[in-house]
Amino acid sequence: MRVLVTGGAGFIGSHLVPELAGRGWSVVVLDDFSSGKMENLGGLVGSDGLRVVKGDVRDRKVVDEVLEGSMGLFIWPGSLTLPRLWTGLCSLMM
Ligand SMILES: NC(=O)c1ccc[n+]([C@@H]2O[C@H](COP(=O)([O-])OP(=O)(O)OC[C@H]3O[C@@H](n4cnc5c(N)ncnc54)[C@H](O)[C@@H]3O)[C@@H](O)[C@H]2O)c1
């Protein structure tokens, strides 16, 4: 399973990405690093299960490229409320 996490280098991503990778999922992080940091991804940087792409979620070309082959999508720099996020997360992880 391959998933795309936008804003994955931020605070929530720093918890979500290791969780997903720990489940054996291949994770692609799309982040413009405007506030996120590579160190938030910790020991996963450089590992086979993680691909980090620097780019803007508003860039259609980049999004199309990173979405290809992905089965799931988590969007963080957005306006979703936490309850909606967790509902989505839980249903995807079951
Ligand atoms: N942290 C919380 O407790 C909390 C609670 C409720 C809601 N939220 C919401 O969840 C979202 C993420 O929260 P967070 O704490 O992880 O924030 P954060 O600022 O730590 O992470 C956001 C990430 O998105 C990246 N980013 C911003 N604009 C981007 C763009 N145009 N393209 C690509 N990447 C971009 C940033 O570089 C950063 O890594 C926010 O929308 C926040 O309002 C957070």
Side-chain angles (χ1 to χ4, degrees):
M1 174 100 166
R2 181 173 177 239
V3 290
L4 169 64
V5 181
T6 63
F11 174 73
I12 292 178
S14 72
H15 296 277
L16 176 64
V17 171
E19 172 68 28
L20 297 173
R23 289 169 184 258
W25 294 6
S26 176
V27 183
V28 180
V29 165
L30 173 62
D31 200 298
D32 67 357
F33 291 91
S34 53
S35 65
K37 295 184 178 112
M38 195 67 89
E39 63 232 40
N40 282 341
L41 299 167
L44 287 172
V45 176
S47 68
D48 285 345
L50 177 68
R51 179 182 168 211
V52 180
V53 176
K54 184 175 180 183
D56 195 313
V57 292
R58 295 165 295 185
D59 184 336
R60 177 66 187 261
K61 198 172 156 198
V62 174
V63 172
D64 281 349
E65 193 266 314
V66 292
L67 261 180
E68 199 171 334
S70 296
M71 301 289 290
L73 168 67
F74 298 99
I75 304 174
W76 296 121
S79 56
L80 293 175
T81 62
L82 212 52
R84 279 180 62 201
L85 288 173
W86 281 113
T87 304
L89 263 181
C90 292
S91 58
L92 197 57
M93 288 178 166
M94 286 173 73

